[in-house]
Amino acid sequence: QKAAEDLKKQQEADAEAKRKLIEGRMPPLELSGKDQGQLEKLVRSLYQRVVSLEDEKYDWEIKLAKQDVEINELTIKVNDINGKFVKPVLKKISKTEQKMAKFDKEKLKSKREGFRDQLKSTGQSKFALDEKEESK
C-alpha cells in the first residue's frame, strides 16, 4: 500500500510539473472581447506555432533514431572486440513433436511413391517420337 501511495504521489507530482511546463510555454487563451479579425490572427499564429513545434518534433525523432542506430552499431563493435556475443533464445521443441514430424514426412514420401505406382500405363512411351509412315 505504501508503494502504491508513493507511486500515486509521484504521478501527481509529474502531472503538476507537466502542467506548469505547458502553462509556462503557452499562456492561457483569452478569447473574450475579440472581434473576427483578431480571432483569425490568433488562430493563424497558433497554427504557425503548431507547425513549428511539429517540425521540431520530427527533427528530434530523426535525431533519436540515428542515435539509436549508432548505439546499436557501437555495442556490436564492442561485443566483437570483447568477444562477447549475444546468444539468441531458442524455442524449445519437445522430442515427441520431432519424432511425429519425422513420421509425417515419411508418410508423405510413401504416399507420393504409392500414387505413382497406382497410375495406369498407357502403353506408349512418353518421350517416343511420333513417326508417320507415308503410304506410296
Side-chain angles (χ1 to χ4, degrees):
Q1 291 179 349
K2 176 118 172 99
E5 291 174 4
D6 290 342
L7 180 65
K8 190 172 183 179
K9 287 179 183 178
Q10 181 67 30
Q11 288 175 345
E12 289 174 359
D14 290 344
E16 182 68 23
K18 185 177 180 181
R19 188 180 58 78
K20 285 182 180 179
L21 180 70
I22 290 174
E23 287 177 357
R25 286 190 178 181
M26 196 69 192
L29 294 177
E30 293 186 24
L31 301 177
S32 60
K34 294 190 177 187
D35 64 348
Q36 185 72 18
Q38 291 174 333
L39 289 175
E40 287 177 2
K41 186 177 179 182
L42 180 64
V43 168
R44 285 195 176 93
S45 66
L46 290 174
Y47 177 76
Q48 289 300 322
R49 178 146 172 98
V50 168
V51 169
S52 65
L53 289 174
E54 284 293 324
D55 289 343
E56 187 177 336
K57 177 184 166 190
Y58 178 77
D59 292 341
W60 280 106
E61 287 175 353
I62 296 298
K63 186 176 180 180
L64 286 174
K66 286 181 182 179
Q67 287 179 350
D68 286 341
V69 170
E70 288 177 12
I71 289 172
N72 288 337
E73 289 174 356
L74 291 174
T75 53
I76 290 171
K77 286 181 182 179
V78 168
N79 287 339
D80 288 345
I81 291 170
N82 292 339
K84 295 179 183 177
F85 299 99
V86 178
K87 294 181 182 178
V89 179
L90 299 176
K91 181 181 174 186
K92 291 185 179 181
I93 300 174
S94 66
K95 291 185 179 181
T96 55
E97 288 180 13
Q98 289 177 340
K99 289 180 182 178
M100 295 303 290
K102 184 177 178 183
F103 288 130
D104 289 341
K105 287 180 183 176
E106 290 176 3
K107 284 181 184 177
L108 288 174
K109 191 174 184 182
S110 65
K111 279 185 181 179
R112 277 190 241 127
E113 291 173 356
F115 179 73
R116 288 183 186 145
D117 292 339
Q118 292 175 1
L119 292 176
K120 294 182 180 178
S121 174
T122 58
Q124 295 179 357
S125 175
K126 182 177 177 182
F127 299 104
L129 296 174
D130 294 332
E131 295 180 10
K132 294 183 181 179
E133 294 182 17
E134 295 180 15
S135 59
K136 291 185 179 181

